[in-house]
Amino acid sequence: QRRSIPVHYFSESDNVVKNATFPRLTTLKQELLSLASTGNRGFGVSGWRAQGRAATLLQEIEACNQETNATLGFSGTMSAVGDLPPSTPPLEGTWRLVWTTSPDVMGLNADPLLLLGEIYQVVQPPFITNLIDFVPRAQRLLPTSASTRLRLGIVSQATATKNELAMHLEHVRLQPLEILGRAVDIYPPTQFEIPQVQFTNKTFNVTYLDPEVAILRQLEPIAGAIALVKEDFVF
């Protein structure tokens, strides 16, 4: 279920100042969103062809970063002296994936039976939940009124140091949202606990953050990047 999120602690004037300091920033972000549409968010052949331009865009946007406390609100971080509590953690809220170069994310689109849908990242410190929607590839042959949609939820708990996040996978849940056009999200998801082994842990560096866009660079176990845009709802 979606509900409105509280107003982000960044003010509108902050964003105006940022865009005035970096005049091309708005253009760069708009181009990234356009590329996300034509390049299928980095997936498939169209994404592969656009990876070079996307890499340049991400680097140019990252060069405009002014947020040095992106992980504020997670364990291991604390407010600077003089902050006026309470303040909303900068990353808190719902973010939608618009580009990726991370091999583990790109592998989600390799299933022969399921087509990858939207990917969201819901941040509620200290938890980060990745919500991944799938639809059957055969659904293309059916009318839109007979849609089927599954949602995979991956829940991690994170600790932080400055702009670096260490995420520890806790559990995975799978839930059908629609079956042949009928909503079935009233049923509780099936949940699987994940044993704490090394490959389940990931480390990210938040290389760019403003009220509209976030860029995270995965440091381990496999390098890659994800770009996200802020949504005005939470699940």
Side-chain angles (χ1 to χ4, degrees):
Q1 184 179 3
R2 299 177 179 180
R3 60 179 174 82
S4 298
I5 62 172
V7 176
H8 198 280
Y9 85 96
F10 285 98
S11 70
E12 187 65 22
S13 60
D14 289 334
N15 219 28
V16 170
V17 170
K18 184 184 288 288
N19 290 339
T21 306
F22 303 101
R24 293 194 60 238
L25 182 57
T26 298
T27 301
L28 292 170
K29 291 193 288 188
Q30 289 173 343
E31 185 177 348
L32 178 63
L33 291 179
S34 177
L35 196 64
S37 177
T38 59
N40 193 23
R41 300 174 294 176
F43 298 105
V45 175
S46 57
W48 177 78
R49 289 173 176 167
Q51 285 292 1
R53 179 55 186 156
T56 300
L57 282 172
L58 293 181
Q59 291 171 359
E60 291 183 2
I61 293 172
E62 287 169 328
C64 301
N65 185 54
Q66 292 182 304
E67 178 55 71
T68 58
N69 265 324
T71 60
L72 188 67
F74 288 89
S75 176
T77 60
M78 56 189 302
S79 301
V81 176
D83 280 359
L84 297 176
S87 62
T88 303
L91 271 175
E92 185 171 285
T94 300
W95 300 83
R96 177 171 53 87
L97 181 93
V98 294
W99 197 267
T100 184
T101 65
S102 294
D104 52 349
V105 178
M106 297 177 75
L108 295 171
N109 202 39
D111 192 292
L113 300 178
L114 296 175
L115 187 66
L116 186 63
E118 296 288 3
I119 299 177
Y120 298 97
Q121 190 167 88
V122 181
V123 181
Q124 297 171 315
F127 296 102
I128 297 177
T129 303
N130 292 317
L131 300 176
I132 305 162
D133 288 355
F134 294 95
V135 298
R137 291 185 183 271
Q139 186 166 288
R140 295 172 172 177
L141 305 176
L142 301 175
T144 55
S145 59
S147 61
T148 296
R149 185 161 52 107
L150 305 174
R151 174 164 292 161
L152 180 67
I154 303 173
V155 181
S156 300
Q157 187 165 346
T159 56
T161 305
K162 293 187 177 180
N163 278 10
E164 189 172 295
L165 281 171
M167 295 170 57
H168 310 281
L169 183 61
E170 294 208 334
H171 58 262
V172 174
R173 58 178 185 245
L174 183 64
Q175 182 179 27
L177 299 182
E178 292 179 285
I179 297 180
L180 296 177
R182 301 190 65 176
V184 292
D185 57 349
I186 59 173
Y187 298 106
T190 302
Q191 184 165 300
F192 307 92
E193 299 300 322
I194 303 299
Q196 290 300 305
V197 293
Q198 185 61 37
F199 77 88
T200 64
N201 299 329
K202 297 181 180 181
T203 304
F204 291 87
N205 189 23
V206 185
T207 55
Y208 182 85
L209 180 64
D210 71 17
E212 301 169 336
V213 172
I215 300 174
L216 281 68
R217 295 275 179 180
Q218 185 171 325
L219 305 177
E220 57 181 26
I222 303 174
I226 59 172
L228 309 144
V229 295
K230 189 74 170 285
E231 296 287 0
D232 61 353
F233 58 82
V234 296
F235 292 90

